[in-house]
Amino acid sequence: MSEIYTTFAALYDAAFDWEVSGEVGSISGLSGIAEGRVLEPMCGSGRLLRGFKAEGFETVGVDASAEMLALARAHYEKLGQQGTWIQADVCDFDLDEACDLAVCPINSLAHLQTATEMLAHLNAMSRNLYEGASYWIQLDLKEPVQVGASEEWEFEYLGETLVSQWACTGYHDGTETHVSRFVFPDGRVIEDDYEMKVWNYASWRTLLERSPFELSAAYAGGSFDPLAIGDSLNGERVFWQQLVKLH
């Protein structure tokens, strides 16, 4: 597991802390539900789940990182809220009760390195969702691969303004190498690199045909404007896919 989700979990939490009410409203509205149980695999510190909790949903977060789950619990306790937090492999877990909706944002699923892992994950999600439930994911579909892409932004951490930097530094055999850096005002840098699986529309569609889900709709990130389902999704960045459980 990448150190940004363990040793440097608090930095990651601060760097990816933004308003989610618009996403919560769009996802729940387009799913046709106003209450129920929301599941997030790879939930991290629970940023998106906190938004659903604020709207009255029950929330269940699953993550392999004990550090991230500790942050999630702390955020909820600070707000006087309670959630369910489970440390487990997102490819093999079972809940006591099924959920009505699931979410997995910002390309977290690309950490699953093989089609076998992804299929196991989708099967696990299916076991823990009611039939007809939506699973909303952000998983970029790419063709061709764009080595050299990068982003940076500022964030506040313990009274200081830090810079978060991300870049795609390489590609080999269907996998990109990414690097994340946190730069302190005094010049100190915390850096971690990790591998991310690359999917294009054709390979993703083929895998979904073997899964309990279908790709029902796609929406632009942020605006939630509808996107056509097809090869045109290749190159669409940080967009939402609405998967629906069939069986």
Side-chain angles (χ1 to χ4, degrees):
M1 184 187 301
S2 170
E3 284 191 301
I4 63 174
Y5 306 122
T6 54
T7 306
F8 308 126
L11 282 171
Y12 180 91
D13 177 44
F16 287 86
D17 184 23
W18 58 74
E19 174 60 40
V20 299
S21 59
E23 290 177 298
V24 168
S26 295
I27 289 170
S28 58
L30 289 166
S31 302
I33 66 170
E35 60 183 5
R37 219 163 119 93
V38 180
L39 167 63
E40 183 179 357
M42 299 183 177
C43 67
S45 59
R47 175 183 59 87
L48 193 50
L49 286 182
R50 290 197 298 275
F52 280 100
K53 189 69 176 180
E55 294 300 316
F57 289 88
E58 296 180 50
T59 60
V60 182
V62 179
D63 203 289
S65 168
E67 293 85 351
M68 280 295 186
L69 292 175
L71 286 170
R73 290 189 186 94
H75 280 301
Y76 267 53
E77 289 172 3
K78 185 177 180 180
L79 295 170
Q81 302 279 19
Q82 290 188 341
T84 299
W85 309 105
I86 300 171
Q87 185 177 4
D89 181 349
V90 298
C91 296
D92 185 16
F93 69 97
D94 291 287
L95 306 178
D96 293 336
E97 180 184 347
C99 295
D100 304 280
L101 179 71
V103 292
C104 190
I106 55 172
N107 288 305
S108 295
L109 290 181
H111 284 289
L112 301 178
Q113 296 294 297
T114 66
T116 299
E117 285 182 312
M118 183 66 82
L119 192 57
H121 168 70
L122 293 175
N123 285 328
M125 292 300 293
S126 177
R127 291 198 304 271
N128 293 291
L129 289 172
Y130 290 112
E131 186 173 343
S134 291
Y135 179 22
W136 290 78
I137 68 169
Q138 287 182 320
L139 179 68
D140 288 353
L141 304 177
K142 305 177 181 183
E143 197 170 34
V145 176
Q146 295 181 339
V147 174
S150 63
E151 294 180 1
E152 74 172 46
W153 63 94
E154 293 183 344
F155 67 98
E156 298 300 313
Y157 178 69
L158 298 181
E160 295 185 306
T161 300
L162 280 66
V163 176
S164 177
Q165 300 174 332
W166 164 87
C168 175
T169 58
Y171 173 82
H172 177 71
D173 195 25
T175 303
E176 291 177 344
T177 300
H178 291 195
V179 60
S180 290
R181 299 184 185 92
F182 301 120
V183 184
F184 288 80
D186 62 6
R188 287 180 296 137
V189 177
I190 291 173
E191 179 177 302
D192 194 27
D193 57 8
Y194 45 94
E195 304 300 312
M196 302 286 274
K197 172 71 174 173
V198 174
W199 295 89
N200 61 27
Y201 174 72
S203 61
W204 182 236
R205 180 189 61 197
T206 298
L207 182 125
L208 286 179
E209 289 172 352
R210 300 168 55 202
S211 82
F213 292 91
E214 70 171 0
L215 176 54
S216 173
Y219 299 90
S223 68
F224 281 85
D225 291 333
L227 300 173
I229 294 177
D231 290 334
S232 60
L233 291 176
N234 287 327
E236 186 73 36
R237 297 200 63 225
V238 199
F239 71 103
W240 284 102
Q241 299 183 42
Q242 183 181 8
L243 308 183
V244 174
K245 176 183 172 178
L246 297 175
H247 52 80

